[in-house]
Amino acid sequence: MVQGTASHVGKSLLCLALCRLFRQEGYRVAPFKAVNMSLNAYVTARGEEIAWAQALQAEAAGLEPTADLNPVLLKPRGDALSQMILRGRPAGDLDARSYQAGLRRRAWAAVRRSLAALQAEHDLLVIEGAGSPAEVNLRRTDLANMRVARAAGAPVLLVGDVDRGGVLASLLGTLALLTPSERARVVGLVINKFRGDLDLFRPGVAFLEARARRPVVGVLPWIEVDLEEEDSLALDALRGPAGSEQAVEVAVPRYPRLANFADLDPLRRTPGVRLRLVGSARELGRPDAVVLAGSRNTSEDLIWLRSRGLAEAIVALARGGTPVVGICGGYQMLGQRLLDPERQESAWPEVEGLGLLPVETVFRKGKVTCRSLGRLAPLPGPLGALGGEPLAGYEIHSGLTRPLGEPRPFLTGVTRRGAPWLEAAPGPACGTSPPASALGPDDGCVSPDGLVIGTYFHGLFDNARFRLAWVNALRARRGWAPLALPPPPHPGAEPVTERERREREFDRLADWARSALDLSLVRRAAGLA
């Protein structure tokens, strides 16, 4: 098990690297994280919702992701309210007190069930902790760190982040706050994100080993990784280098409940694209395009856009010819109205939309979670040449969006894998759901000029040909040469996505861990031959 002195010290990345490394050595290895709090979610082939990080780790391990990899997912809806996903299915909304009072028992039962299933099927689990095991006020209710280590019989590697400063104090302080039995589980320390001359740091390593009475298993060098981030702390780094003086600017409003921001990562990596996260109309300026990403609370985030002057500014840009793309909650915002008669999404029964697409959204009890595949409809404007090409994605949304009049769909012939409309489990804000057929064979909506696009497809920009064609349309408006597109897929083939790039990164991360860790110690601790 990999635990950390804090969030964002590199636990997820190290677990991913170990999953790929042990897979390369021939082990049947699986990742596991009992409890994850994240708004970056992924949908399995069975329509289950799990955290994005565990889906990536599963891909590195050569596995099809399942809900057992992340049995408890908490998706914040407010400062003290989260939606609880148990083994991939919604289990209602909860605050901290209701979690402490009773739902914790259900959550722990789900953790034990998933842990047992994975242990029966694999040679090795690489288990990721959450936050820090030294939060003493949460020790009694811990479902993510030492309680999981005990249940799994797992030795623990404790990771600290040297780039933040104070890594010796954070590692020693964490050990000091553990109980004797918890401390006994920690078999080694890992120092992550090291930059500079390792010889100058060796006295610190020796001091740490003497005080901790445990070996430093490795000092991992800083590594730039070309993979999607799951932690909202990484949003500040999303903009990335433009890679060219001829860079189109794509503005992304950073509303409070921004969700599934992995959708933005392919744009960040595209040469000649500069992402800007904006929080006001002044910051928005006059970009080449605007992307409204997903939201965990569409109504409240739309109200936030108005309070910052962003709603009016985005509408003005769109009516002036600036392309706008809305994904999931962003798509819902682009419509005429958000209707919530049963107060499923927020306290407002109706919120006026941006009015850029002829659709409206009604929030109902239940949730759509599925993988989807469709074909681009004949689009007006510069993307018309892509009409008929396949586009893959996944859907995670509450509410159904319905047309007003005869809108142009974005995708046609949509097929959905998994459970297209999940009925929520008994609990707060749960009840009956409309049938799956209510989703229909089309997705999304496009304005008559093709410049405003709304879709429920997360992973939209993961489709390489669509992404590059959309960027080229922005470049053409500036008179710049287009970027090269990959060839179109053969008839019946899946669209070209980012899988090959991720595979290269997984191998590179395995090499990174192999070069810096004492793997003989790790193998002995894990009971491997």
Side-chain angles (χ1 to χ4, degrees):
M1 185 170 190
V2 175
Q3 298 184 15
T5 58
S7 296
H8 209 55
V9 299
K11 298 187 293 293
S12 296
L13 205 63
L14 179 55
C15 287
L16 187 153
L18 290 173
C19 282
R20 174 48 65 101
L21 186 154
F22 286 117
R23 179 198 176 193
Q24 290 173 340
E25 295 185 353
Y27 291 100
R28 294 176 303 166
V29 58
F32 181 73
K33 184 163 185 172
V35 182
N36 202 335
M37 177 174 280
S38 176
L39 285 176
N40 231 13
Y42 176 88
V43 174
T44 73
R46 293 184 292 200
E48 303 157 331
E49 223 177 323
I50 65 172
W52 184 267
Q54 277 62 67
L56 269 185
Q57 291 165 357
E59 196 173 313
L63 299 177
E64 179 68 38
T66 70
D68 282 330
L69 307 182
N70 173 215
V72 182
L73 174 61
L74 301 177
K75 304 185 74 173
R77 295 192 61 182
D79 291 338
L81 186 69
S82 292
Q83 183 186 45
M84 186 178 189
I85 310 293
L86 282 185
R87 303 189 83 240
R89 307 301 191 199
D93 291 342
L94 69 154
D95 57 23
R97 291 190 182 277
S98 62
Y99 182 65
Q100 305 271 5
L103 282 174
R104 188 177 74 255
R105 287 190 292 274
R106 288 180 59 198
W108 182 242
V111 170
R112 292 298 299 264
R113 181 179 172 187
S114 291
L115 184 60
L118 291 174
Q119 286 179 312
E121 296 171 2
H122 297 89
D123 303 319
L124 175 69
L125 300 188
V126 177
I127 305 174
E128 181 185 341
S132 164
E135 305 291 349
V136 294
N137 55 307
L138 302 177
R139 177 172 285 137
R140 186 178 62 84
T141 59
D142 168 44
L143 300 185
N145 290 299
M146 285 299 179
R147 190 175 183 185
V148 175
R150 287 195 301 271
V156 173
L157 296 178
L158 183 63
V159 182
D161 178 358
V162 69
D163 194 55
R164 295 182 175 189
V167 70
L168 304 183
S170 62
L171 286 165
L172 291 172
T174 299
L175 286 170
L177 290 173
L178 298 179
T179 66
S181 63
E182 291 171 341
R183 200 156 42 242
R185 287 206 167 271
V186 180
V187 296
L189 311 176
V190 177
I191 295 171
N192 195 18
K193 305 183 187 180
F194 183 80
R195 317 185 203 215
D197 188 337
L198 184 57
D199 286 336
L200 297 179
F201 189 56
R202 293 195 191 283
V205 172
F207 171 85
L208 180 59
E209 290 183 322
R211 283 294 184 96
R213 298 182 181 178
R214 283 161 183 79
V216 172
V217 178
V219 178
L220 291 164
W222 179 276
I223 186 171
E224 294 288 346
V225 181
D226 195 12
L227 290 172
E228 297 82 353
E229 292 272 9
E230 81 147 352
D231 200 317
S232 61
L233 292 173
L235 275 174
D236 292 330
L238 248 182
R239 64 193 67 198
S244 168
E245 291 184 3
Q246 291 186 342
V248 295
E249 286 198 346
V250 178
V252 180
R254 186 176 180 173
Y255 20 83
R257 302 299 168 216
L258 183 66
N260 282 78
F261 43 84
D263 288 337
L264 307 173
D265 211 67
L267 284 175
R268 178 187 63 82
R269 294 190 307 272
T270 302
V273 174
R274 180 178 293 111
L275 281 182
R276 290 197 295 111
L277 294 167
V278 300
S280 67
R282 180 182 60 81
E283 291 179 356
L284 178 65
R286 298 195 62 81
D288 294 284
V290 176
V291 173
L292 295 171
S295 167
R296 188 58 195 87
N297 194 316
T298 308
S299 298
E300 289 191 1
D301 279 346
L302 183 51
I303 291 169
W304 180 88
L305 285 178
R306 287 204 165 85
S307 72
R308 298 300 184 97
L310 277 164
E312 183 179 352
I314 291 168
V315 169
L317 285 174
R319 290 179 175 160
T322 298
V324 178
V325 173
I327 302 173
C328 196
Y331 168 35
Q332 295 172 341
M333 294 180 193
L334 292 174
Q336 304 297 313
R337 287 177 297 278
L338 301 176
L339 302 173
D340 193 1
E342 299 174 2
R343 310 300 198 275
Q344 295 297 310
E345 175 86 355
S346 69
W348 291 274
E350 181 174 342
V351 176
E352 183 183 357
L354 298 180
L356 294 175
L357 291 176
V359 297
E360 67 180 14
T361 298
V362 181
F363 293 105
R364 303 284 295 276
K365 296 175 181 179
K367 190 174 190 179
V368 175
T369 58
C370 57
R371 291 190 190 175
S372 303
L373 180 68
R375 293 192 175 274
L376 287 164
L379 301 177
L383 299 178
L386 294 181
E389 289 204 13
L391 195 147
Y394 59 97
E395 300 178 52
I396 308 176
H397 60 91
S398 299
L400 291 176
T401 298
R402 60 195 184 193
L404 301 173
E406 294 293 332
R408 297 174 179 268
F410 176 57
L411 297 165
T412 60
V414 176
T415 58
R416 295 175 169 92
R417 292 177 58 197
W421 186 281
L422 294 177
E423 184 175 330
C430 299
T432 59
S433 302
S437 59
L439 296 173
D442 297 336
D443 169 78
C445 184
V446 181
S447 62
D449 59 7
L451 296 180
V452 179
I453 296 172
T455 177
Y456 273 122
F457 270 42
H458 291 292
L460 172 68
F461 291 116
D462 200 53
N463 293 269
R465 278 181 57 82
F466 175 83
R467 179 181 74 253
L468 293 173
W470 185 76
V471 170
N472 281 342
L474 303 181
R475 294 175 65 84
R477 293 161 65 91
R478 285 180 169 260
W480 296 342
L483 304 173
L485 268 66
H490 298 297
E494 294 284 319
V496 179
T497 63
E498 298 288 278
R499 180 67 180 262
E500 184 177 337
R501 173 193 57 80
R502 290 198 295 268
E503 287 291 322
R504 291 195 299 269
E505 286 299 286
F506 297 155
D507 288 339
R508 193 166 72 92
L509 282 167
D511 293 341
W512 166 74
R514 188 179 286 111
S515 67
L517 294 179
D518 181 352
L519 289 177
S520 61
L521 186 152
V522 175
R523 290 190 185 95
R524 287 197 305 273
L528 300 177

